[in-house]
């Protein structure tokens, strides 16, 4: 009957929502926020031991015996989060150093103008 089909569909929908919420909680627990997901993008884990990924920050695997590729059931999420956060921090540090250098140049120019005036 229609009512039984509607109730079954509703139960299935609730189960799907519960499963999706559980997955979101698991991702948040490992630090995978929407911003981090964006940083990860198409990155893939290449070595499970050293955490080398396709996008970096580790560019070369130095593990004994070579790369240890993740298996199909290996949870790559935590290592991808760490790599994405590390790349983000590196780019922030580079921008910060660039800003400091610019500020130093501006300060020197102002000091020079004061001496000339």
């Amino acid at each position: 009957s229609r009512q039984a089909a509607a109730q079954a569909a509703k139960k299935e929908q609730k189960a799907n929502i519960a499963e999706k919420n559980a997955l979101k909680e698991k991702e948040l627990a490992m630090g995978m926020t929407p911003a981090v997901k964006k940083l990860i993008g198409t990155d893939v884990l290449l070595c499970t031991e050293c955490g080398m990924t396709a996008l970096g920050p580790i560019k070369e695997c130095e593990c004994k015996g070579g790369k240890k590729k993740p298996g199909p059931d290996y949870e790559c999420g935590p290592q991808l989060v760490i790599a994405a956060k590390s790349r983000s921090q590196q780019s922030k540090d580079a921008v910060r150093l660039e800003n400091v250098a610019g500020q130093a140049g501006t300060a020197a120019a102002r000091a020079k103008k004061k001496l000339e005036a």
Side-chain angles (χ1 to χ4, degrees):
S1 76
R2 279 180 148 173
Q3 188 177 12
Q7 286 177 341
K10 195 171 189 176
K11 280 183 182 178
E12 186 178 325
Q13 188 179 27
K14 282 185 178 182
N16 287 341
I17 290 171
E19 186 178 321
K20 192 173 183 181
N21 287 339
L23 180 64
K24 281 184 180 179
E25 285 180 26
K26 181 182 172 188
E27 287 178 344
L28 282 175
M30 75 170 92
M32 192 169 309
T33 61
V36 172
K37 276 186 181 180
K38 215 179 240 188
L39 286 172
I40 291 173
T42 59
D43 201 8
V44 289
L45 186 66
L46 300 176
C47 180
T48 58
E49 196 168 308
C50 66
M52 183 178 112
T53 65
L55 299 178
I58 300 171
K59 298 292 182 189
E60 232 176 272
C61 180
E62 296 176 356
C63 299
K64 290 183 179 177
K67 295 178 191 170
K68 291 175 178 61
K69 294 184 180 180
D73 59 337
Y74 187 81
E75 180 60 48
C76 299
Q79 288 174 308
L80 289 174
V81 168
I82 291 168
K85 286 183 176 180
S86 180
R87 283 192 307 271
S88 173
Q89 190 61 45
Q90 284 178 347
S91 67
K92 285 179 184 177
D93 288 346
V95 168
R96 191 174 299 125
L97 287 173
E98 193 177 296
N99 289 341
V100 167
Q103 289 171 354
T106 304
R110 285 183 184 157
K112 188 176 179 183
K113 276 188 178 180
K114 278 187 179 179
L115 289 175
E116 289 174 359

